Amino acid sequence: MTASRTARERVRAELTREITDIARRQLATEGAGGLSLRAVAREMGMVSSAIYRYFPSRDDLLTTLIIEGYNALGEAVERADAACPRDDYLGRWLAACHGLRDWALAHPHEYALLYGSPVPGYQAPQDTVPARLRDVTVLGATLREAHEADAVDPPPLRPLPPDALRADADNLRTIMAGVPDELMFRALTSWTALYGWISFELFGQLNNAIEERRTAFDHSMRTLAALMGLR
Protein backbone atom coordinates (compact mmCIF):
# COMPACT_ATOMS: atom_id res chain seq x y z
CA MET A 1 0.00 0.00 0.00
CA THR A 2 1.41 3.39 -0.97
CA ALA A 3 1.77 6.28 1.46
CA SER A 4 -0.50 8.45 -0.69
CA ARG A 5 -3.24 5.81 -0.65
CA THR A 6 -2.91 5.49 3.11
CA ALA A 7 -3.29 9.24 3.45
CA ARG A 8 -6.38 9.23 1.22
CA GLU A 9 -7.94 6.47 3.26
CA ARG A 10 -7.21 8.37 6.47
CA VAL A 11 -8.83 11.52 5.08
CA ARG A 12 -11.84 9.50 3.92
CA ALA A 13 -12.22 7.93 7.36
CA GLU A 14 -12.02 11.34 9.04
CA LEU A 15 -14.60 12.86 6.71
CA THR A 16 -16.89 9.86 7.14
CA ARG A 17 -16.66 10.26 10.91
CA GLU A 18 -17.42 13.99 10.63
CA ILE A 19 -20.45 13.25 8.47
CA THR A 20 -21.85 10.76 10.97
CA ASP A 21 -21.15 13.10 13.90
CA ILE A 22 -23.10 15.89 12.21
CA ALA A 23 -25.87 13.45 11.28
CA ARG A 24 -26.21 12.39 14.92
CA ARG A 25 -26.62 16.05 15.89
CA GLN A 26 -29.30 16.31 13.21
CA LEU A 27 -31.15 13.44 14.86
CA ALA A 28 -31.45 15.60 17.97
CA THR A 29 -32.89 18.59 16.12
CA GLU A 30 -34.75 17.14 13.13
CA GLY A 31 -35.38 13.51 14.03
CA ALA A 32 -34.48 10.56 11.85
CA GLY A 33 -37.16 11.44 9.30
CA GLY A 34 -35.60 14.88 8.81
CA LEU A 35 -32.08 13.60 8.21
CA SER A 36 -30.70 15.28 5.09
CA LEU A 37 -27.45 14.67 3.25
CA ARG A 38 -27.65 18.14 1.75
CA ALA A 39 -27.98 19.73 5.19
CA VAL A 40 -24.98 17.73 6.43
CA ALA A 41 -22.99 18.87 3.38
CA ARG A 42 -23.91 22.50 4.04
CA GLU A 43 -22.73 22.30 7.65
CA MET A 44 -19.44 20.82 6.49
CA GLY A 45 -18.97 23.44 3.79
CA MET A 46 -19.02 20.68 1.20
CA VAL A 47 -20.84 20.80 -2.13
CA SER A 48 -23.85 18.53 -1.94
CA SER A 49 -22.64 16.31 -4.78
CA ALA A 50 -19.42 15.49 -2.92
CA ILE A 51 -21.13 13.92 0.08
CA TYR A 52 -22.64 11.23 -2.14
CA ARG A 53 -19.15 9.81 -2.61
CA TYR A 54 -19.30 8.82 1.05
CA PHE A 55 -22.98 7.96 1.39
CA PRO A 56 -24.86 7.37 -1.87
CA SER A 57 -28.23 7.99 -0.20
CA ARG A 58 -29.88 9.05 3.03
CA ASP A 59 -30.71 5.40 3.70
CA ASP A 60 -27.02 4.47 3.53
CA LEU A 61 -26.28 7.13 6.14
CA LEU A 62 -29.17 5.92 8.31
CA THR A 63 -27.89 2.36 8.09
CA THR A 64 -24.45 3.44 9.25
CA LEU A 65 -25.94 5.39 12.17
CA ILE A 66 -28.11 2.42 13.14
CA ILE A 67 -25.23 -0.06 13.03
CA GLU A 68 -22.99 2.29 15.04
CA GLY A 69 -25.80 2.84 17.54
CA TYR A 70 -26.49 -0.86 18.03
CA ASN A 71 -22.76 -1.55 18.39
CA ALA A 72 -22.35 1.20 20.98
CA LEU A 73 -25.36 -0.05 22.94
CA GLY A 74 -24.20 -3.65 22.66
CA GLU A 75 -20.73 -2.72 23.87
CA ALA A 76 -22.21 -0.95 26.91
CA VAL A 77 -24.28 -4.01 27.82
CA GLU A 78 -21.36 -6.39 27.24
CA ARG A 79 -19.12 -4.25 29.43
CA ALA A 80 -21.69 -4.19 32.23
CA ASP A 81 -22.10 -7.97 32.05
CA ALA A 82 -18.34 -8.60 31.99
CA ALA A 83 -17.90 -6.72 35.28
CA CYS A 84 -19.97 -9.34 37.16
CA PRO A 85 -18.95 -12.79 38.40
CA ARG A 86 -20.02 -15.39 35.81
CA ASP A 87 -22.13 -17.32 38.32
CA ASP A 88 -23.99 -14.24 39.61
CA TYR A 89 -26.86 -14.54 37.16
CA LEU A 90 -29.17 -12.09 38.91
CA GLY A 91 -26.32 -9.59 39.14
CA ARG A 92 -25.53 -10.03 35.45
CA TRP A 93 -29.18 -9.47 34.47
CA LEU A 94 -29.42 -6.32 36.59
CA ALA A 95 -26.06 -4.99 35.37
CA ALA A 96 -27.05 -5.51 31.74
CA CYS A 97 -30.42 -3.80 32.31
CA HIS A 98 -28.84 -0.81 34.02
CA GLY A 99 -26.11 -0.64 31.38
CA LEU A 100 -28.76 -0.51 28.67
CA ARG A 101 -30.76 2.16 30.48
CA ASP A 102 -27.68 4.27 31.25
CA TRP A 103 -26.63 4.22 27.60
CA ALA A 104 -30.14 5.15 26.46
CA LEU A 105 -30.35 8.09 28.87
CA ALA A 106 -26.95 9.33 27.70
CA HIS A 107 -27.86 8.91 24.00
CA PRO A 108 -31.63 9.48 23.81
CA HIS A 109 -31.78 10.42 20.14
CA GLU A 110 -29.71 7.44 19.07
CA TYR A 111 -31.91 5.18 21.21
CA ALA A 112 -34.96 6.71 19.54
CA LEU A 113 -33.44 5.88 16.14
CA LEU A 114 -33.03 2.26 17.23
CA TYR A 115 -36.26 1.74 19.19
CA GLY A 116 -38.52 4.65 18.34
CA SER A 117 -41.00 5.02 15.50
CA PRO A 118 -39.85 3.54 12.16
CA VAL A 119 -38.40 6.05 9.71
CA PRO A 120 -40.91 6.50 6.85
CA GLY A 121 -39.67 4.86 3.68
CA TYR A 122 -36.65 3.21 5.29
CA GLN A 123 -36.14 -0.56 5.38
CA ALA A 124 -33.23 -1.74 7.50
CA PRO A 125 -30.96 -4.14 5.57
CA GLN A 126 -29.57 -7.43 6.86
CA ASP A 127 -26.30 -5.60 7.54
CA THR A 128 -27.85 -4.28 10.75
CA VAL A 129 -28.67 -7.71 12.24
CA PRO A 130 -25.30 -8.68 13.84
CA ALA A 131 -25.06 -5.35 15.64
CA ARG A 132 -28.75 -5.51 16.59
CA LEU A 133 -28.25 -8.83 18.36
CA ARG A 134 -25.34 -7.82 20.60
CA ASP A 135 -27.39 -6.66 23.60
CA VAL A 136 -29.99 -9.44 23.48
CA THR A 137 -27.22 -12.01 23.04
CA VAL A 138 -25.91 -10.95 26.45
CA LEU A 139 -29.38 -11.26 27.99
CA GLY A 140 -29.92 -14.64 26.35
CA ALA A 141 -26.53 -15.95 27.46
CA THR A 142 -27.25 -15.01 31.08
CA LEU A 143 -30.46 -17.03 31.13
CA ARG A 144 -28.98 -19.93 29.13
CA GLU A 145 -25.97 -20.23 31.44
CA ALA A 146 -28.18 -19.94 34.52
CA HIS A 147 -30.37 -22.76 33.19
CA GLU A 148 -27.33 -24.92 32.42
CA ALA A 149 -26.08 -24.36 35.99
CA ASP A 150 -29.49 -25.30 37.41
CA ALA A 151 -29.65 -21.79 38.89
CA VAL A 152 -33.18 -20.89 37.79
CA ASP A 153 -36.27 -21.46 39.90
CA PRO A 154 -39.20 -19.87 38.07
CA PRO A 155 -42.47 -19.64 39.98
CA PRO A 156 -45.45 -21.60 38.64
CA LEU A 157 -47.22 -19.59 35.99
CA ARG A 158 -50.08 -20.14 33.60
CA PRO A 159 -50.91 -20.16 30.80
CA LEU A 160 -48.13 -22.17 29.14
CA PRO A 161 -46.99 -21.13 25.64
CA PRO A 162 -49.48 -22.47 23.06
CA ASP A 163 -48.37 -24.93 20.39
CA ALA A 164 -48.77 -22.21 17.77
CA LEU A 165 -45.63 -20.56 19.17
CA ARG A 166 -43.31 -23.51 18.51
CA ALA A 167 -41.84 -21.94 15.37
CA ASP A 168 -41.20 -18.70 17.24
CA ALA A 169 -39.57 -20.70 20.01
CA ASP A 170 -37.15 -22.11 17.44
CA ASN A 171 -36.21 -18.56 16.47
CA LEU A 172 -35.54 -17.62 20.09
CA ARG A 173 -33.45 -20.75 20.53
CA THR A 174 -30.71 -19.23 18.37
CA ILE A 175 -29.67 -17.13 21.39
CA MET A 176 -31.08 -19.34 24.18
CA ALA A 177 -30.16 -22.86 23.07
CA GLY A 178 -31.32 -25.53 25.48
CA VAL A 179 -33.72 -23.27 27.39
CA PRO A 180 -37.27 -24.69 27.70
CA ASP A 181 -39.97 -22.94 25.71
CA GLU A 182 -41.83 -21.71 28.80
CA LEU A 183 -38.68 -20.07 30.15
CA MET A 184 -37.83 -18.54 26.79
CA PHE A 185 -41.21 -16.84 26.59
CA ARG A 186 -40.80 -15.58 30.13
CA ALA A 187 -37.53 -14.07 28.93
CA LEU A 188 -39.28 -12.51 25.94
CA THR A 189 -41.87 -10.97 28.27
CA SER A 190 -39.06 -9.65 30.47
CA TRP A 191 -37.10 -8.20 27.55
CA THR A 192 -40.08 -6.39 26.08
CA ALA A 193 -40.82 -4.96 29.54
CA LEU A 194 -37.17 -3.85 29.84
CA TYR A 195 -37.15 -1.96 26.55
CA GLY A 196 -40.68 -0.70 27.14
CA TRP A 197 -39.69 0.72 30.54
CA ILE A 198 -36.79 2.60 28.98
CA SER A 199 -38.93 3.89 26.12
CA PHE A 200 -41.58 5.08 28.58
CA GLU A 201 -38.91 6.97 30.51
CA LEU A 202 -37.21 8.53 27.49
CA PHE A 203 -40.37 9.49 25.67
CA GLY A 204 -42.04 11.17 28.65
CA GLN A 205 -44.70 8.64 29.70
CA LEU A 206 -43.34 8.57 33.26
CA ASN A 207 -43.38 12.34 33.70
CA ASN A 208 -45.34 13.48 36.77
CA ALA A 209 -45.76 9.83 37.78
CA ILE A 210 -42.44 8.26 38.75
CA GLU A 211 -39.79 10.43 40.42
CA GLU A 212 -37.39 7.80 41.83
CA ARG A 213 -36.85 6.32 38.43
CA ARG A 214 -33.62 4.44 38.94
CA THR A 215 -35.05 2.80 42.06
CA ALA A 216 -38.31 2.00 40.30
CA PHE A 217 -36.42 0.64 37.31
CA ASP A 218 -34.26 -1.58 39.52
CA HIS A 219 -37.35 -2.90 41.31
CA SER A 220 -39.04 -3.67 37.99
CA MET A 221 -35.97 -5.49 36.69
CA ARG A 222 -35.77 -7.57 39.90
CA THR A 223 -39.45 -8.44 39.45
CA LEU A 224 -38.74 -9.59 35.90
CA ALA A 225 -35.74 -11.58 37.12
CA ALA A 226 -38.07 -13.35 39.55
CA LEU A 227 -40.43 -14.13 36.67
CA MET A 228 -37.54 -15.88 34.89
CA GLY A 229 -36.44 -17.58 38.10
CA LEU A 230 -33.01 -15.93 38.35
CA ARG A 231 -31.68 -16.16 41.87
Side-chain angles (χ1 to χ4, degrees):
M1 182 180 292
T2 66
S4 61
R5 180 172 174 78
T6 301
R8 286 198 299 271
E9 289 179 346
R10 185 165 60 249
V11 169
R12 182 178 182 85
E14 290 173 354
L15 284 173
T16 299
R17 185 165 53 251
E18 185 178 354
I19 290 169
T20 55
D21 286 346
I22 292 172
R24 271 187 283 272
R25 293 200 295 270
Q26 261 196 34
L27 291 177
T29 58
E30 306 298 330
L35 188 64
S36 164
L37 284 171
R38 290 179 179 273
V40 172
R42 280 197 304 271
E43 185 167 340
M44 294 181 67
M46 177 188 291
V47 295
S48 58
S49 59
I51 200 169
Y52 293 102
R53 300 172 192 166
Y54 300 88
F55 294 97
S57 70
R58 181 210 66 163
D59 284 4
D60 290 302
L61 178 54
L62 270 175
T63 296
T64 295
L65 294 176
I66 288 169
I67 291 173
E68 289 182 352
Y70 278 136
N71 277 326
L73 174 57
E75 182 180 348
V77 174
E78 290 164 358
R79 190 166 53 247
D81 174 71
C84 297
R86 295 298 81 195
D87 60 352
D88 181 7
Y89 304 107
L90 173 59
R92 288 172 61 184
W93 159 258
L94 293 173
C97 292
H98 280 284
L100 201 160
R101 175 178 177 268
D102 290 346
W103 186 89
L105 293 178
H107 306 87
H109 304 293
E110 291 175 67
Y111 183 89
L113 175 64
L114 305 179
Y115 292 107
S117 299
V119 180
Y122 174 77
Q123 182 68 42
Q126 285 296 110
D127 294 353
T128 61
V129 173
R132 167 65 189 91
L133 292 177
R134 285 181 67 172
D135 52 344
V136 295
T137 295
V138 172
L139 301 177
T142 299
L143 185 62
R144 184 187 70 245
E145 293 168 21
H147 175 70
E148 291 170 351
D150 195 25
V152 291
D153 184 21
L157 186 68
R158 293 294 184 270
L160 296 174
D163 290 342
L165 291 177
R166 285 180 179 172
D168 291 328
D170 290 339
N171 294 332
L172 293 173
R173 230 179 301 280
T174 59
I175 53 176
M176 288 182 283
V179 175
D181 289 5
E182 180 186 1
L183 191 53
M184 282 197 298
F185 281 101
R186 292 187 186 212
L188 180 62
T189 298
S190 300
W191 296 357
T192 54
L194 161 63
Y195 290 93
W197 211 109
I198 293 171
S199 294
F200 262 44
E201 182 172 7
L202 282 184
F203 304 146
Q205 275 78 16
L206 300 183
N207 291 350
N208 303 316
I210 304 296
E211 298 299 329
E212 295 292 337
R213 293 184 184 175
R214 185 175 182 84
T215 302
F217 177 79
D218 187 81
H219 171 72
S220 294
M221 296 308 107
R222 288 177 184 275
T223 301
L224 296 171
L227 173 67
M228 293 184 287
L230 294 176
R231 60 174 185 262

